[in-house]
Amino acid sequence: MDKLLRYSLAAGLAAVLVAVVALTLLYRGLVLDSLLEGETRANVTLTRTFANAIWPEHAAFVMNAGRMPRAELATRREIADLGFQLRMLKAGTSVVKVKIYDTNGLTVYSSDLRQIGEDRSGNPGVRSALAGVPVSESTYRERFDSWDGPLAERNIIGTYVPVRVLEYSPVDAVMEIYSDVTPLVERMERSLWQIFGVVLAALSLVFSVGLWSIVRHRRLLRAQEDERLAREEQVRYQAYHDALTDLPNRVSFAEHLEEAVRRAKRARWPLAVMFLDADQFKRVNDSLGHEAGDQLLRVLAARISASVRETDLLFRMGGDEFTVLLEDVRGPEEAASVAQRILEAMREPLQLQHHELTVSVSIGIAMYPKDDDSGERLVQSADTAMYRAKELGRNRYAFFTPEMNERVESQLLLEAALRRALKQSEFRLHYQPRVTTGGRIMGVEALLRWAHPERGLVEPAQFIAALEETGLIVPVGAWVLREACRQAAAWQAAGHAPLRVSVNLSSRQFRSETLVDAVAEALREARLDAQWLEVELTESLLMENLDRAMVIMGRLKELGVGILIDDFGTGYSSLGYLKRFPIDGLKIDRSFVRDLANSRKDAAIVESIAALAQSLGIGLVAEGVEQPHQAEFLR
């Protein structure tokens, strides 16, 4: 009954509203038609007045205007006379513009002199008036050029009226009269809105009374429904959450794990399951009591939750066991990083019943799909790895397979060694000359090397990726900028001709908010003019975020630093964006230079890139030139 009443009220209101709108639109149409008809009659009468006043004097000029040169027509004295007389005649009327056409549709006169000489023979209004039938049309103009200058936002009625000596005489010309009816239309619109407002207010009152009764009845029903849903939600929440820690429980974990495995299979991304167990929890529970044990579990839950990533899910399985789901991890290293944060969080002492304790956890980690593609077996693998961590001495994490442990350990050792290398100044810069086609050295490229105290000189391929992943590339990159600028300034101070030094920027470095400041500081510190520093960016790096790349490149250019596109041709090669970048040159990747003698395709690519650079008016550098025939071809 409640629904039926509500639908009936809504349907009735909609029907009445439709009727009111339809009647209002019909009334508006009738008023507009009446206004148009009245203005047509008024303009016909006005045309006769104009014609009687000016036609005897100007009829010959209008009828012979077609024989005159159109370019000179607007400059004729008769045009000025016509304009003066028409202005006098239109005084006190709503006329804002007048045009006169001859029987061929030529615009002989217009108050807008630019329109004189136009051919309007195809205009329907002109044709109708030439046939002896006056016609009017109403338009809304945002701008209208009148006798007195431009008018803004006006309603204009234009009437085409035949001009003839007697009522049944042949048509000698057509006069078009534009009238400004904006005040009339505005009054009409106001009346319409008043009518519409009164009817709508009456309908609203009727509808409000009916709606009030429905709302009151529904409020009672909704309160009962909300109470029922709240009880159901509380039951559901209790079924899926642990009452002690308020974390999702074992039942919730089983459902989330199943969904996570399905997503990982579909997206083909790694998934990690982490199984955690508090070390020696039973001893705390037995010695201090269950209340202290419960308090300890709440502290453990809070610390683990604060240590995992925002996208990770933490569950309490029961007792002192917890699990963590880590979706879309880059590999075991990232899972190990999360586990390490948890272990570090546990090192903080805590107070339990006036006792200061330090509690640790043992963590087992299993990876999908490396260890298994079944959620249940992944949990078993993580549980097995957790017991291995306990066997290894507790307060640590362990992966399910020894191979993963070795890989993670190697990665962590490399990260620690790189941090030490930055701290102890073990990095070095070597400089690759850049030679002109004439054989003169005109610049150098700074190449990063690691002088390891035991392994000797380490190539960047063995450690650049680790620098990127750990974020150390930002401070190391800032050091490279400072050292390269210092060396360039030192060469100049020693009397050598200035050389432009080129530095490669990584994607993480380019995304850093401090990049431009780091470049400016390196130049300022070395007292090196910015024209002698150049940065190299890859195409793929720039295409990650075009808008931000344009901003950063613009700020670098403001400093006066040169910009090269590195490894050109191996990335996106988007020529549409290339023309927008404020670059100074392109670098042909060594993969195209290596087989110039044997590969026609490589040679064609090099020639195309060279032609592109020349047409854009930018520089060109080829990498990896090691053979005379390569140099000769490039020359």
Side-chain angles (χ1 to χ4, degrees), residues 364-382:
I365 307 172
M367 301 292 298
Y368 168 91
K370 174 68 175 177
D371 296 331
D372 213 300
D373 59 357
S374 163
E376 184 178 351
R377 289 193 293 272
L378 279 174
V379 177
Q380 294 172 357
S381 299

Side-chain angles (χ1 to χ4, degrees), residues 520-535:
E521 179 61 26
L523 291 168
R524 186 165 50 250
E525 195 176 287
R527 296 183 180 179
L528 180 69
D529 194 298
Q531 66 174 314
W532 303 116
L533 176 63
E534 189 172 63
V535 294

Side-chain angles (χ1 to χ4, degrees), residues 544-557:
E544 287 178 2
N545 188 330
L546 280 171
D547 293 335
R548 188 175 187 281
M550 290 293 292
V551 171
I552 297 300
M553 293 170 75
R555 292 180 62 190
L556 289 172
K557 293 301 293 181

